[in-house]
Amino acid sequence: MTATSARINPADYLPDYVSPAQVKGLLGNVDIWRDSWGIPHVRGGTFQDAFAGLGFAQAQDRLWQMEALLRRGTGRYAEWLGARAVAGDVITRQMNGEAASRRDYALLGDEAKAMLVAYARGVNAFIALRRWPVEYKILGCEPTTWEPWHSIAVMRQIGFLMGSVWWKLWRAAALPIVGADNIAKLRFDDGGSDLLCVPPGVEGKRLAAALADLKPGITALLATAQEQMGAELDGGSNNWAISAALTSTGRPIVAGDPHRVLEMPNMYAQAHLACDEFDVIGLTVPGVPGFPHFGHTSDVAWCVTHAFVDIHDLYVEQFDAGAHHYRFQDQMLPATHRSETIKVRDGKDVTIDVVETQHGPVIAGDPTKGPALALKSVQFAVPDSSFDCMVRMLRAKSVEQLYEATRGFGMMDHNVVAGDTSGKIGHRVRALVPKRPRSNGWLPVPGWTGEHEWDGMVLFEDMPHVIAPDKGMIVTANNRVVAPEREPYLSTDPMPPHRTRRIWLRLNELKRPSPE
């Protein structure tokens, strides 16, 4: 312990949970009560006041975490952590997370904007009390003023590039080692058949690559060395539901287990939020209003797992000298260059040249020296209205209404499993997935042929969903959602189904279970 840290008394930086606070702009009084576990119970008359109270309560508990997520989501984390955070800031600046979040806020409806404005009002009311977490003292800085679009950047960051992009990079890095004949073997596989989410519990055949479609991309990749980027392979999530007809209570049972990596602080924060329009308990994301992943009202409950549908594509781009132009079909199109400067704590600023094509920013390789990889991701390239869904979800009275409320939710791809007080259970893949050839799913594809372009998004009505399945049970555990030959193309790389099989086995052993 240094002499400086020895003088810091952490108790001096704990929030005051007792004294009343003045919050400008409230329509009425907001009550925040904490139970014996410290979980906040927030009530306001209007949904705006309720969300202001949630912002205040979350800032009391997690302000430093909230700003850390914001900085990671906008490429400003190295200002706090120094050189070790530069690599993460570089990829975030390349993807331009701040611009995407500002864009999405501008496109939201009035209700979602009111929610985000109210939440920011509550966060800033706590900041104004100047009793900040001890981390700010250690860093020698003050909290940034919370803006409404900041919550979008935080939500975007917690699912940052999860899923298919890492498998494609992994296979690309392995391609020179194992060769084209073996590359199709590099996928999650437990050696058995697949087990599908929709229809629930149906066996499916294994997916095989159509390598002939990938020949141009394979040839380009073999000609140039690729930087290897690691994948996060730990974790995995399970959820399941049993319909009311099979339980002892006459109500469905819904269970969600997110399997997130153990963190301090955790990426979730439990809360209870109520107003004249809704009353909901669940897991919030610090920095984000609403209950996007886990929650229940008096009528409907929901939980999620990662669906592992394919929402990221990598393109091998061919550039001229100096990367001023890139090839597309029979043309050389102008590439754009954007300079980004990353401030580094206790170090020199880092300035990067972000090169972009019509597919997205270059994230691997030096385009001034040869081919490079550009990333096109739904999380950044496609305008997103997920926050329009947040309030609608809390007003849902049934599984059907809950799923309709999620129309347009695209921040992350999830299996949303739900149940309601009428006894129904359901499953829907909540995601925006581009319509494009299924050959895009295996490796980076050639960006110059025009054969791997996106043609809009898969329609909401065409996304996998089921309500009141015949078996009366639903299980998802990151396994394949639907048969691989189903159109439109959705995914290449789900997790193997051994966890799914185990859950089905255990559920089938139950005899009219209760929650206990």
Side-chain angles (χ1 to χ4, degrees), residues 1-8 137:
M1 179 178 290
T2 66
T4 300
S5 62
R7 291 194 297 268
I8 296 176
K137 176 67 174 180

Side-chain angles (χ1 to χ4, degrees), residues 77-121:
Y77 206 28
E79 294 177 17
W80 274 8
L81 266 63
R84 59 180 166 162
V86 168
D89 282 357
V90 167
I91 185 67
T92 304
R93 295 290 186 95
Q94 289 171 331
M95 299 310 299
N96 211 351
E98 177 173 338
S101 300
R102 289 181 179 273
R103 173 203 65 201
D104 292 346
Y105 177 74
L107 296 174
L108 291 175
D110 292 343
E111 185 173 72
K113 286 182 177 177
M115 172 185 68
L116 289 167
V117 168
Y119 181 86
R121 181 181 298 125

Side-chain angles (χ1 to χ4, degrees), residues 320-338:
D320 63 7
H324 298 298
H325 299 83
Y326 64 96
R327 186 178 305 281
F328 184 71
Q329 296 179 331
D330 58 353
Q331 303 179 67
M332 293 298 292
L333 302 179
T336 63
H337 290 249
R338 170 169 47 87

Side-chain angles (χ1 to χ4, degrees), residues 81-163:
L81 266 63
R84 59 180 166 162
V86 168
D89 282 357
V90 167
I91 185 67
T92 304
R93 295 290 186 95
Q94 289 171 331
M95 299 310 299
N96 211 351
E98 177 173 338
S101 300
R102 289 181 179 273
R103 173 203 65 201
D104 292 346
Y105 177 74
L107 296 174
L108 291 175
D110 292 343
E111 185 173 72
K113 286 182 177 177
M115 172 185 68
L116 289 167
V117 168
Y119 181 86
R121 181 181 298 125
V123 175
N124 290 326
F126 174 75
I127 292 173
L129 299 178
R130 302 192 65 83
R131 192 176 176 90
W132 306 322
V134 69
E135 290 89 346
Y136 287 100
K137 176 67 174 180
I138 295 170
L139 291 169
C141 61
E142 296 189 357
T144 189
T145 299
W146 200 264
E147 298 182 40
W149 67 268
H150 287 176
S151 295
I152 302 177
V154 168
M155 191 69 191
R156 181 170 268 114
Q157 198 283 325
I158 65 165
F160 184 75
L161 299 183
M162 284 180 64

Side-chain angles (χ1 to χ4, degrees), residues 421-463:
T421 52
S422 75
K424 290 191 297 293
I425 59 173
H427 166 217
R428 171 172 275 279
V429 176
R430 182 182 68 181
L432 295 180
V433 182
K435 290 190 290 185
R436 81 284 210 198
R438 62 183 61 244
S439 56
N440 285 34
W442 286 88
L443 284 162
V445 293
W448 63 89
T449 66
E451 296 176 358
H452 298 276
E453 304 306 301
W454 292 8
D455 182 23
M457 296 289 120
V458 175
L459 295 176
F460 178 82
E461 289 75 14
D462 289 339
M463 292 299 293

Side-chain angles (χ1 to χ4, degrees), residues 211-499:
L211 288 178
D213 297 337
L214 305 177
K215 186 175 181 180
I218 289 175
T219 302
L221 284 164
L222 286 172
T224 180
Q226 298 295 330
E227 178 184 355
Q228 186 172 4
M229 299 179 71
E232 286 190 9
L233 305 180
D234 295 335
S237 303
N238 308 327
N239 65 11
W240 48 266
I242 306 175
S243 71
L246 300 178
T247 71
S248 64
T249 61
R251 294 286 181 89
I253 298 174
V254 179
D257 180 5
H259 281 205
R260 294 289 300 208
V261 174
L262 289 175
E263 298 170 299
M264 181 61 71
N266 190 271
M267 70 158 285
Y268 290 120
Q270 193 169 354
H272 176 197
L273 185 67
C275 64
D276 293 345
E277 298 181 59
F278 54 75
D279 189 337
V280 59
I281 294 174
L283 301 183
T284 64
V285 174
V288 178
F291 298 78
H293 295 170
F294 299 86
H296 72 84
T297 68
S298 58
D299 301 292
V300 62
W302 62 93
C303 55
V304 304
T305 62
H306 189 184
F308 280 92
V309 296
D310 191 358
I311 62 174
H312 318 286
D313 274 352
L314 288 155
Y315 292 85
V316 184
E317 305 283 29
Q318 297 178 339
F319 294 90
D320 63 7
H324 298 298
H325 299 83
Y326 64 96
R327 186 178 305 281
F328 184 71
Q329 296 179 331
D330 58 353
Q331 303 179 67
M332 293 298 292
L333 302 179
T336 63
H337 290 249
R338 170 169 47 87
S339 180
E340 294 277 353
T341 298
I342 298 168
K343 295 185 180 299
V344 183
R345 184 183 183 91
D346 300 325
K348 294 182 179 179
D349 293 355
V350 174
T351 299
I352 60 173
D353 177 31
V354 181
V355 181
E356 293 186 87
T357 72
Q358 64 181 344
H359 298 123
V362 169
I363 61 147
D366 185 348
T368 65
K369 296 179 180 179
L373 288 182
L375 174 60
K376 187 173 186 178
S377 168
V378 167
Q379 291 182 329
F380 298 89
V382 178
D384 180 83
S385 59
S386 295
F387 279 74
D388 278 331
C389 305
M390 295 288 199
V391 182
R392 297 200 303 253
M393 290 174 63
L394 305 185
R395 296 193 183 108
K397 301 295 184 183
S398 65
V399 170
E400 293 92 341
Q401 289 181 18
L402 176 75
Y403 290 155
E404 181 59 32
T406 66
R407 184 184 289 266
F409 201 112
M411 192 71 75
M412 187 60 196
D413 57 302
H414 283 133
N415 297 298
V416 182
V417 168
D420 63 31
T421 52
S422 75
K424 290 191 297 293
I425 59 173
H427 166 217
R428 171 172 275 279
V429 176
R430 182 182 68 181
L432 295 180
V433 182
K435 290 190 290 185
R436 81 284 210 198
R438 62 183 61 244
S439 56
N440 285 34
W442 286 88
L443 284 162
V445 293
W448 63 89
T449 66
E451 296 176 358
H452 298 276
E453 304 306 301
W454 292 8
D455 182 23
M457 296 289 120
V458 175
L459 295 176
F460 178 82
E461 289 75 14
D462 289 339
M463 292 299 293
H465 60 279
V466 61
I467 294 178
D470 293 340
K471 292 183 178 181
M473 292 187 288
I474 291 168
V475 178
T476 86
N478 315 125
N479 53 305
R480 186 171 298 285
V481 176
V482 291
E485 66 271 15
R486 177 190 183 269
E487 293 291 346
Y489 161 71
L490 290 180
S491 69
T492 297
D493 290 296
M495 293 285 190
H498 52 268
R499 281 184 283 121

